[in-house]
Every structure is written in structure tokens, then in C-alpha cells.
Amino acid sequence: MSKEELHQIEELPDLKVAWHESHKCLNELLLEYVWEVANHFLPDNEDVSTAPAIFANRYAERNLSVEERYERSKKMKTFKGSLEEYKKREYRKLDDSFKEKFLTNEDLQNTIEAYKLDVSKFWYLLLFVYDFIEDIGTNAPALNKSVLEDFSYFHANLLEATSITLKKDNKKSYVIEREGTIRIIQAALQHFVNTYSDIIHSEQDREAVIKQLKDIGLNGFIRNDLSSKINFTDKFSLDISYKKWKFTDMFLFFIEKRKATTIPNKKVKVSKDKMMLVSRLIYTVGYDGKRYNEEYDSEGNKNRMLSNLLRRYKNEKFPSVIANNYMVVS
């Protein structure tokens, strides 16, 4: 019997459930672990995450041609445009190329068994977490400050400024250091802020408010919603260390309340270390090399590479990111 035959992955059926009907996936047993993590990290307004349905569809489409994906979407009524319009959409295929690496890693499989985890359910959890992290971390839309946030930050700094530098074509063209001039600029901006606030908080009808905004040089309200922060032109990619950080965060949440037990009749040492389990998963998806798969180094020291990585970021906030497919801001 080959190593691949020791562990069989039960195939996830094509559920054909649209993202807004994710609750219809609740009874799919193979998605049990996915639901557990998705509801915590990607919750929806009604506490039923849309992510499992999105994942199930991406899994079902992973080997289809663009024409086949289009026909499937038409049947599910999730896309109403033409094939030409469908082809213009950005598409990142769900990557399951590390399946054999997952199945043949005896150390990893022994630990999965020690934690009494279902290997098929755990495989789909691994695929889901990896696909989500690639979604937020590889060529994703950038998430910037909104215009109002950017303006507020500029305003706060201007009020404390002792000099102002102007640039043209990224070259310094003029520097203002005269206190009187700076105070005039500060006062003018403060007057604009007060005027804008008075207009939008007035009891006038919308048309009157918009007319007054035009009078002070604005074409309308300054948007401060999520869509005003998303930059679809400048693409954003997470550094690999941040991907490992988020990956670890999601898997440690999943495993934290679970306990490993001794496997009867096992003649080899089985690691029950949770960080080692995550480290081997990181190696499996290709976020790091074999050093992450080894429990001890050549000198017999315990592998602390992942722990050391997380220690570097313990006082940092994870960067704001937006997903391409999973429709969340994380």
C-alpha cells in the first residue's frame, strides 16, 4: 500500500450554492472545520459566514475552463453578463497542488491522527485558510485611508506645523517657515472644516446642502464609506511573514481547545506540539522550506522558528487588507 493510499480524501461535492445562500452549506459534513474557522474570522451580519459557500464554489471550479465556469455561473444565476464580460473578470484559481505533500507527510499525518481530526475535513480547512490568505495577500486591492481620514490626519498635523514644504514632480519647490503665513493657512483650513461641518449638519434639504457644498468648491459630500478606501488600481501583496502570521492565527484558533492523545501501536514518536503542527502546515502549502517541517535542528534544539516569527509581531497590528473573492476586510 502506497503512502497516498494510507489516507484518503473524501471528495467535496459541487454544492452549487450562491454566496448569499451560504446557510445551505451548513449540513455539509466535509465543511465542518471550515465553518468553525470562517464564522470566527469571516463572520457575516447574521453570524452565518458567506465564506464556506464561496470556498465550495472556488473548489468546484478549480479545474474548469473559463467557458465551463461561465456556464456554471449562468445556471446558478450568479452572473448575468456575456461570456466576453465574464472573461474580463480577474480570476485566481484555487490551488490544491500540495495535496500529495499533505498526504505523504507522515509526521504531519501522525499529529492529525493524534488530535483525532478527520483528515478530509482538515484538508478542506487547510485549502480554505490558504485560499483566503492568498486572496487577501496576493494582488489584492489596496485599502487606503478614506478622503476624510486622510484630511483629518493632515489637518491635525498642520495645526502643529512650524514649516510647510511644497513639492512639484517629487522635487522640493517651496518651503514656508514664516509663522504668520503658516497661521493664515491654518486658520483658512479650520474655517473650511467648520463651514463644511455646519453645512452637512444643518436642517436644510439635500439640494440646498449640495448647492452650498458647490459654493465652497465641492461637488458633493466627501465620502467616508468603505468603497472610498478601496484602491483597485494599485495592487497590494502581503510579505510572506505576514501570511505566515495570519495562517498561524487561524490554525491556532482551530486547534487551541483540542488535545492530542497517544496513538496505540505507533512505534515512532508523534509530535503533539500545536506550534509544530502549524509549522508543518506552513511547510506543506509552501510558505517556508523543510526547516519548518523538522521538529529539531541538527544540534537537537527544538524548532522555535514559528514562535520567534510571531514574537517579532506581538506588538504590531496586522495590516488592513481586503479580499478579492471572499468579500471581507480583515
Side-chain angles (χ1 to χ4, degrees):
M1 184 180 289
S2 69
K3 291 179 180 179
E4 291 86 342
E5 292 172 328
L6 290 174
H7 306 284
Q8 295 293 330
I9 301 297
E10 186 179 346
E11 185 63 22
L12 179 68
D14 186 354
L15 303 173
K16 292 187 173 67
V17 173
W19 65 268
H20 58 278
E21 298 180 316
S22 194
H23 62 276
K24 293 182 179 179
C25 297
L26 281 168
N27 293 327
E28 176 50 63
L29 294 178
L30 290 173
L31 294 177
E32 179 185 347
Y33 298 168
V34 171
W35 272 111
E36 189 174 333
V37 173
N39 278 338
H40 180 77
F41 287 95
L42 292 81
D44 201 24
N45 293 332
E46 299 178 358
D47 297 325
V48 177
S49 175
T50 60
I54 295 170
F55 166 73
N57 281 308
R58 285 182 49 72
Y59 180 79
E61 293 177 347
R62 72 197 186 285
N63 294 322
L64 300 182
S65 67
V66 63
E67 291 80 10
E68 290 170 329
R69 293 200 314 272
Y70 171 71
E71 289 301 323
R72 183 176 179 277
S73 296
K74 293 285 283 185
K75 289 178 182 177
M76 290 177 61
K77 298 180 180 179
T78 56
F79 188 81
K80 297 180 180 179
S82 65
L83 176 59
E84 289 68 29
E85 291 172 320
Y86 187 85
K87 286 181 177 180
K88 292 177 182 178
R89 303 194 315 172
E90 289 189 28
Y91 181 75
R92 179 184 56 80
K93 176 183 174 183
L94 183 143
D95 181 8
D96 64 349
S97 61
F98 45 87
K99 185 176 183 179
E100 183 179 352
K101 194 176 178 182
F102 170 78
L103 290 173
T104 57
N105 188 332
E106 290 187 52
D107 290 325
L108 173 60
Q109 290 296 331
N110 285 337
T111 301
I112 292 172
E113 186 179 351
Y115 275 94
K116 296 182 179 178
L117 297 169
D118 181 284
V119 68
S120 294
K121 294 177 184 178
F122 196 71
W123 164 244
Y124 291 115
L125 175 62
L126 178 61
L127 273 185
F128 165 67
V129 171
Y130 175 71
D131 192 50
F132 170 67
I133 292 173
E134 286 302 294
D135 206 42
I136 64 174
T138 305
N139 291 328
L143 191 65
N144 304 322
K145 291 188 182 76
S146 69
V147 174
L148 274 184
E149 288 173 324
D150 205 27
F151 178 80
S152 296
Y153 183 77
F154 170 74
H155 182 220
N157 280 274
L158 181 64
L159 292 177
E160 299 176 355
T162 56
S163 69
I164 300 172
T165 301
L166 303 180
K167 289 184 178 181
K168 184 179 180 180
D169 298 328
N170 212 30
K171 294 181 180 180
K172 185 189 299 184
S173 61
Y174 186 66
V175 177
I176 303 169
E177 294 182 334
R178 187 172 178 176
E179 184 178 352
T181 305
I182 293 173
R183 294 293 169 261
I184 291 172
I185 296 171
Q186 291 170 335
L189 188 61
Q190 186 62 58
H191 175 71
F192 177 87
V193 170
N194 294 338
T195 303
Y196 178 78
S197 180
D198 289 342
I199 292 171
I200 65 171
H201 291 111
S202 68
E203 295 181 358
Q204 304 174 89
D205 60 40
R206 184 180 177 84
E207 289 185 4
V209 168
I210 291 176
K211 181 180 183 305
Q212 287 193 324
L213 290 175
K214 286 183 177 179
D215 290 341
I216 64 170
L218 296 176
N219 291 325
F221 296 92
I222 301 176
R223 293 171 59 208
N224 196 36
D225 57 7
L226 176 61
S227 61
S228 70
K229 302 180 184 183
I230 302 173
N231 184 337
F232 290 98
T233 303
D234 297 332
K235 293 297 185 177
F236 170 82
S237 291
L238 282 174
D239 182 83
I240 192 67
S241 61
Y242 282 98
K243 290 184 178 182
K244 288 190 281 190
W245 175 6
K246 177 60 75 174
F247 185 98
T248 303
D249 189 27
M250 296 178 80
F251 268 103
L252 286 183
F253 165 79
F254 173 75
I255 205 75
E256 67 177 347
K257 295 180 180 178
R258 291 174 163 87
K259 293 183 179 180
T261 58
T262 302
I263 305 174
N265 304 320
K266 277 288 181 183
K267 296 181 180 179
V268 295
K269 183 179 179 297
V270 178
S271 172
K272 300 176 184 178
D273 188 322
K274 294 177 180 180
M275 289 295 284
M276 194 64 236
L277 169 60
V278 178
S279 187
R280 283 177 169 148
L281 292 172
I282 285 173
Y283 160 71
T284 299
V285 300
Y287 283 157
D288 215 302
K290 284 188 176 180
R291 58 187 187 156
Y292 262 65
N293 193 57
E294 303 299 330
E295 190 167 8
Y296 300 94
D297 64 20
S298 58
E299 298 177 355
N301 299 312
K302 184 79 171 176
N303 184 343
R304 301 291 182 194
M305 299 190 72
L306 185 55
S307 298
N308 292 337
L309 173 72
L310 297 181
R311 195 174 295 116
R312 279 169 44 196
Y313 295 113
K314 66 179 181 179
N315 295 321
E316 280 196 35
K317 184 179 179 181
F318 195 81
S320 294
V321 288
I322 186 164
N324 276 302
N325 294 284
Y326 285 94
M327 302 184 296
V328 294
V329 176
S330 179

